Amino acid sequence: MSTTERPRILVVGGGYVGLYAARRILKKMRYGEATVTVVDPRSYMTYQPFLPEAAAGSISPRHVVVPLRRVLPKAEVLTGRVSNIDQDRKVAVVQPLVGESYELPFDYLVIAMGAVSRTFPIPGLAENGIGMKGIEEAIGLRNHVLEQLDKADSTTDEDIRRKALTFVFVGGGFAGAETIGEVEDMARDAAKYYPNVKREDMRFVLVDAADKILPEVGPKLGQWGLEHLQNRGVEIYLNTSMNSCVDGHVVLKNGLEVDSNTIVWTAGVKPNPALARFGLPLGPRGHVDTGANLQVKGTDYIWAAGDNAQVPDLASGEGAWCPPNAQHALRQAKVLGDNVISGMRGFPQGEYKHANKGAVAGLGLHKGVAMIVMGKMKIKLKGRLAWYMHRGYHGLAMPTFNRKIRVIADWTLGMFLKREVVSLGAMENPREEFYEAAAPVSAAAAAKKPAADVTSEKAKAS
């Protein structure tokens, strides 16, 4: 941690907005003008649109994350959480991964904490649900699904097989539809290598409380996506929700009951709850309330953007807010970075205005939907062409040239090599096997110790 006397720009969060805003500030800043400090519980940024492909094995998980220290070599990167902010003293309380918390003074503040999964008090969800907000969850989901195929292939118990081969996904937005499409694709490929498991033995269920899926691409493409998934054998239940999932027994509001070892929760996001402790003005849904210049209302030294901010959408008109997606986060981060420099130097700040360019979604290899907005015209694509648009857009949006090349290399190898279908579930508990080997030895040594001590004491006495 630096002890410099220069003004400190504290960036709380190292996600999409935090990373790009810090890069922009460092690029625009004069030498020695200020110190940029980034605080995040993880030492890397995750490109979330690629999580479904990482879960399906189409992209290496390491290529979906960007190491902060490598990309921000001129910034301080602290691995920890900001637990509180004292605006009067301009001090943040940082809780590191280990050790006592400490105070960190700042002069300018950027709030870029992003969002967390939006959950409800559903019995069994915390114990059995799997989220899709981080790369760890994507890796875990992939290993878990393949492990279920291993279980089903090696047992003759029909109840165990049925529960292992039933996969329930809650949420039909981008995250839910893309994840179930990619995972179903992977499971279909993997089944070729299991003599006792066929695609017909698997049951994929998608549940959403709304009356449609993929609302981001419009009703027509959303309906095509729904029919496409149904043609692949996915059961889709709309206008319903999950009442409980205790011990993997899923009960839906429409009366359907299924047993499943795999319950994936992708039913939306909400602003990071920690924002409520910072004393910032919040909107009705917990977002930081900002002006069009991304400055927090009522302050002249705090900015916010991305999923944790309520940013006016000037391109859509009065009363509209920017949706929480990567398209806006990238562009907001650049404007925010410029405005921090302008605010620090006492210059006027620019307003954020960006018209929606459309949306793209992948539903597995060579399958997708895309809506491209060009002025007043909307181009709607589906199938393989839309899938190319999906990969092209996100390939270009992936931060850093290094990661772009690695992702494209993964895709290129996938054109010639078959998908890996190996479960590395032991990664979640890598020490378990060693512990089982070492525990009996340790126990035996502990049992012999008293006798040895007695002998030693007798020897000393004589």
Side-chain angles (χ1 to χ4, degrees), residues 58 406-419:
S58 299
R406 291 178 184 273
V407 167
I408 293 172
D410 286 341
W411 288 338
T412 304
L413 288 173
M415 296 170 59
F416 304 101
L417 303 176
K418 293 183 179 180
R419 192 200 307 255

Side-chain angles (χ1 to χ4, degrees), residues 152 154-158 161:
S154 58
T155 184
T156 57
D157 189 313
E158 280 303 315
R161 278 176 53 85

Side-chain angles (χ1 to χ4, degrees), residues 81 116 207 270 280 284 370:
R81 299 178 185 275
V116 299
V207 182
K270 63 181 180 181
L280 300 171

